[in-house]
Amino acid sequence: MKKFDLKNVVEKVKTTDYKKLAKDFWYGKPHGERRLGDLYCDKTGLYKHREWRGVKDTFYYFNKVWLYNYGMLVYDVMRYGGIWTFAKGCWRYRWMGQTYLPVLHWFDRGMEGLRGEALRACPLHYRAMTNATIYQFMQMFRNDLNTNKGNKKVQARHDKTIAHDETVWGGIFYPFSKKVENVPLQMIPYFVTCHVNNHTVLNYIDAVQSLGLPGDPCPMCQAEAGLFVLDDVPDYYKAVITSNEACDGSVATSIIQDWLIDKPLFAMPQPMQFDDPLVHKHCMKEIEEAWKFIEEQTGVPFDYQQLCKKLESQNELQRFEWEKWDVAANTNYYPINGVSQALYRIYQSQYGDLPIWHETDKKVRKIMEKCVEQRINSFPLTRHRVIAWSCAPLYYSNWCTWAYNCWGLNTIINMDSLMFNMTIRTDSYSHTLADMAQYHEWAPMRRMAVGGMHHIFELWENMERFHCDMVMMYDQLLCKGMQGVHGLFEDEFRARNIHAIWMPHALPDKRNVSRAEIRSIINDYMTTVMQEEPLDPSLLEFDDSMSW
């Protein structure tokens, strides 16, 4: 047993700087002294104790993020269908329980190290995504014939619901939104779950490969097909509108899904060469055919006035997004970190108009205006302004939070955030249809990933626009489109003297490239090429292999 050393204790008491101790308690330790990596439990990535952010920010996080969002999780479930409906869904569908339980850990990862106004703005985006998620899966469960057999009310709602691939823009359904519900098939079981809990989709990938599908198609498509192989999708819809998921490598898995869905289906793929005027006209006709399909399946007529009303509401969201981009591009007073900006933007622009997006934007506007007026820099230790390009690793979307805390790499904008960079005219039917076709063509992973060299190389103008000096180049190992232009990007990076870090990943499958490997690649580049020292050495190496 170690002896009590009174002299050592007395010496520590004498040498302790109590003024600094009190300051650190009240305001939190400055960035270089935080050692955030010391908070982690080995392997799990869970915290040994809460991050101390100073009195004000710690209490804000506990009350306005943790307690508030736990309460809102329950409140949203109650108002969108009730506890019993939720419980049946949790019992029946594996992805539900695996995602709902660790959702506040998802908040923790995305908000790690934040202080001040950034700690107010970023959780608002997560709250909005959580609300939209609950709204959608409760729609699924309320209308699910698997868990509500023989219920006539459920059957009636079921027959007024259309499912669609997650990359079919929700705006396609605006003309029918008074009477018809639309819920993406894969947005909740696949896209959201993977961000919250990176273990969730692995069994779906294994399931579809067990049928003989090779392992080289995109793992996103594999996971989505595996959901149907394991019968893990609610039967909440009468018919479905599909796309090619903006990736022509998804054709094999789309066929599998069609077999297993076995319901009326309308295919509306995003075209590859969408800059062609003839292709654009064809896309416009496909949208009109989709509207006819919805009318036939639901008996609800097309309502142009309702379409315009919803489009104008969505246009408001886009206009504020441009304001946010302007602040991010031209000032140091943008209070939103990379992961909050990217996930919220993708979710909002792809799913379509919802009240929660407007509520969130209103609150974020106040925070952002305060930061600009008072010149509040939420990320003062930014060493490099980073633009992230191509398709991101879904199992590690919070890498940019880690990268800022460890290296001062501040992700200003992501490629997917820029996909739907347009408002939609409502002055005439022809203008509306033409703009909707363009919006549909600019789907995630289509325009700037496989949409032709001009669009792929929009990177350079956006680097200049957002004043970025470094590129985080996502390298989706199973994406045939972006793998084909790998060498072209390398040549351009050298010719333009641009610092670019290639981040290999397999979209939702963490088993190919782990989070630790991604961090190691960034660490190696920052030490050997940039010859910089980490801001927080405790974050250089840690084991989070079992983490959600």
Side-chain angles (χ1 to χ4, degrees):
M1 183 175 176
K2 190 176 180 180
K3 289 184 178 180
F4 178 72
D5 190 343
L6 181 60
K7 289 184 178 181
N8 189 33
V9 172
V10 171
E11 187 64 28
K12 283 185 177 180
V13 170
K14 289 181 178 179
T15 56
T16 298
D17 186 344
Y18 289 100
K19 286 186 178 180
K20 185 178 187 316
L21 199 64
K23 186 177 180 181
D24 290 347
F25 172 77
W26 191 255
Y27 296 106
K29 287 186 176 181
H31 195 108
E33 300 175 21
R34 290 178 193 171
R35 295 196 59 84
L36 294 171
D38 293 345
L39 296 176
Y40 304 146
C41 296
D42 194 36
K43 297 187 183 299
T44 67
L46 297 174
Y47 287 155
K48 297 173 185 175
H49 58 79
R50 306 304 307 157
E51 178 187 350
W52 186 257
R53 305 168 192 257
V55 173
K56 183 179 179 180
D57 284 345
T58 299
F59 276 86
Y60 179 88
Y61 195 87
F62 182 74
N63 288 291
K64 296 293 187 178
V65 180
W66 261 74
L67 287 182
Y68 174 75
N69 281 287
Y70 267 128
M72 295 308 292
L73 288 173
V74 177
Y75 174 67
D76 286 343
V77 164
M78 293 296 293
R79 64 173 168 162
Y80 295 141
I83 293 294
W84 177 238
T85 300
F86 171 76
K88 287 190 292 184
C90 276
W91 185 258
R92 174 62 175 79
Y93 302 106
R94 173 174 176 163
W95 48 265
M96 184 61 248
Q98 286 183 324
T99 310
Y100 195 82
L101 293 176
V103 71
L104 264 297
H105 182 63
W106 178 51
F107 275 71
D108 285 344
R109 291 198 306 258
M111 310 304 135
E112 188 172 76
L114 293 184
R115 302 285 191 271
E117 299 312 309
L119 189 61
R120 278 90 182 134
C122 295
L124 289 172
H125 295 89
Y126 273 62
R127 158 66 191 145
M129 292 186 286
T130 304
N131 171 268
T133 297
I134 296 173
Y135 173 69
Q136 289 176 77
F137 70 62
M138 290 303 288
Q139 281 182 299
M140 287 179 166
F141 298 161
R142 282 172 53 241
N143 304 343
D144 183 17
L145 298 185
N146 291 335
T147 56
N148 298 280
K149 292 180 180 177
N151 189 315
K152 292 182 180 180
K153 289 184 178 180
V154 172
Q155 182 71 56
R157 290 196 302 265
H158 172 279
D159 292 346
K160 287 289 190 291
T161 303
I162 302 292
H164 54 98
D165 278 332
E166 63 181 344
T167 52
V168 173
W169 167 43
I172 298 297
F173 303 89
Y174 286 168
F176 313 93
S177 55
K178 285 183 178 180
K179 296 181 179 180
V180 175
E181 294 183 351
N182 75 93
V183 186
L185 276 167
Q186 308 95 349
M187 178 73 84
I188 308 305
Y190 160 74
F191 180 78
V192 174
T193 61
C194 190
H195 287 288
V196 178
N197 182 349
N198 65 86
H199 301 283
T200 306
V201 304
L202 303 181
N203 63 307
Y204 302 125
I205 294 173
D206 294 341
V208 74
Q209 289 186 13
S210 72
L211 298 181
L213 185 77
D216 64 323
C218 174
M220 167 182 170
C221 309
Q222 295 184 58
E224 292 175 350
L227 284 161
F228 293 92
V229 171
L230 294 181
D231 188 26
D232 219 14
V233 179
D235 181 7
Y236 65 91
Y237 54 97
K238 185 179 182 181
V240 60
I241 295 179
T242 64
S243 74
N244 53 350
E245 296 287 12
C247 164
D248 296 315
S250 69
V251 173
T253 59
S254 296
I255 293 170
I256 293 173
Q257 290 180 65
D258 187 15
W259 289 342
L260 296 170
I261 289 171
D262 193 25
K263 291 193 179 190
L265 180 145
F266 182 85
M268 191 174 65
Q270 285 95 4
M272 180 70 80
Q273 294 296 332
F274 54 76
D275 288 329
D276 188 322
L278 293 177
V279 174
H280 187 69
K281 287 184 178 181
H282 173 74
C283 189
M284 291 166 65
K285 289 181 180 179
E286 280 198 327
I287 291 176
E288 290 185 308
E289 289 298 318
W291 287 338
K292 290 180 183 178
F293 175 78
I294 297 169
E295 284 184 325
E296 291 168 359
Q297 295 300 321
T298 65
V300 177
F302 176 88
D303 186 341
Y304 181 65
Q305 296 303 318
Q306 178 67 5
L307 171 62
C308 292
K309 179 182 176 182
K310 295 287 284 184
L311 287 174
E312 285 299 338
S313 183
Q314 178 177 309
N315 285 342
E316 288 181 20
L317 300 173
Q318 181 60 53
R319 292 186 188 101
F320 180 58
E321 194 67 23
W322 285 333
E323 290 183 42
K324 290 164 67 178
W325 293 355
D326 185 53
V327 172
N330 300 305
T331 77
N332 294 320
Y333 314 128
Y334 190 54
I336 304 164
N337 67 1
V339 61
S340 302
Q341 186 277 329
L343 291 181
Y344 178 77
R345 169 62 178 168
I346 294 168
Y347 209 149
Q348 171 223 75
S349 58
Q350 181 63 53
Y351 181 71
D353 188 62
L354 278 178
I356 190 64
W357 309 138
H358 295 274
E359 294 170 20
T360 300
D361 284 0
K362 184 178 180 180
K363 295 175 182 177
V364 171
R365 180 189 293 276
K366 290 182 179 180
I367 296 171
M368 188 172 73
E369 288 177 350
K370 177 183 176 181
C371 288
V372 173
E373 289 170 4
Q374 300 182 18
R375 299 189 177 186
I376 299 171
N377 187 349
S378 298
F379 304 98
L381 295 177
T382 297
R383 288 175 173 171
H384 301 283
R385 293 171 60 89
V386 180
I387 184 170
W389 207 252
S390 194
C391 306
L394 304 186
Y395 60 91
Y396 199 15
S397 55
N398 62 300
W399 69 266
C400 43
T401 309
W402 166 84
Y404 174 76
N405 288 326
C406 186
W407 289 104
L409 301 177
N410 188 2
T411 305
I412 305 300
I413 198 73
N414 294 261
M415 183 191 79
D416 284 342
S417 303
L418 301 164
M419 289 290 186
F420 299 118
N421 186 15
M422 62 179 292
T423 53
I424 298 171
R425 293 171 292 176
T426 58
D427 58 327
S428 69
Y429 177 83
S430 59
H431 284 166
T432 300
L433 184 59
D435 286 357
M436 288 184 70
Q438 181 172 307
Y439 196 97
H440 174 67
E441 292 161 3
W442 284 1
M445 302 175 291
R446 173 57 80 190
R447 175 182 164 192
M448 299 173 193
V450 289
M453 196 61 65
H454 167 68
H455 297 292
I456 290 172
F457 279 175
E458 285 182 40
L459 168 60
W460 321 123
E461 61 192 71
N462 281 298
M463 264 197 91
E464 183 176 348
R465 174 186 178 187
F466 287 94
H467 299 96
C468 295
D469 64 316
M470 183 177 283
V471 179
M472 192 62 65
M473 194 69 196
Y474 296 132
D475 188 14
Q476 213 279 73
L477 299 176
L478 283 80
C479 180
K480 309 302 187 293
M482 290 305 291
Q483 285 296 317
V485 295
H486 190 122
L488 295 176
F489 269 108
E490 286 279 21
D491 290 343
E492 290 292 327
F493 290 144
R494 292 190 186 96
R496 297 167 185 265
N497 195 28
I498 290 173
H499 285 289
I501 303 177
W502 286 88
M503 182 190 290
H505 66 91
L507 216 57
D509 194 343
K510 66 170 186 175
R511 296 171 296 189
N512 288 354
V513 182
S514 69
R515 292 171 169 177
E517 289 177 81
I518 288 173
R519 291 193 296 271
S520 177
I521 289 168
I522 297 174
N523 290 341
D524 289 346
Y525 193 94
M526 296 306 295
T527 54
T528 58
V529 178
M530 304 304 293
Q531 296 186 354
E532 295 180 7
E533 295 294 324
L535 297 174
D536 187 344
S538 70
L539 292 172
L540 284 174
E541 293 184 22
F542 55 90
D543 185 354
D544 61 347
S545 55
M546 294 172 60
S547 171
W548 287 323

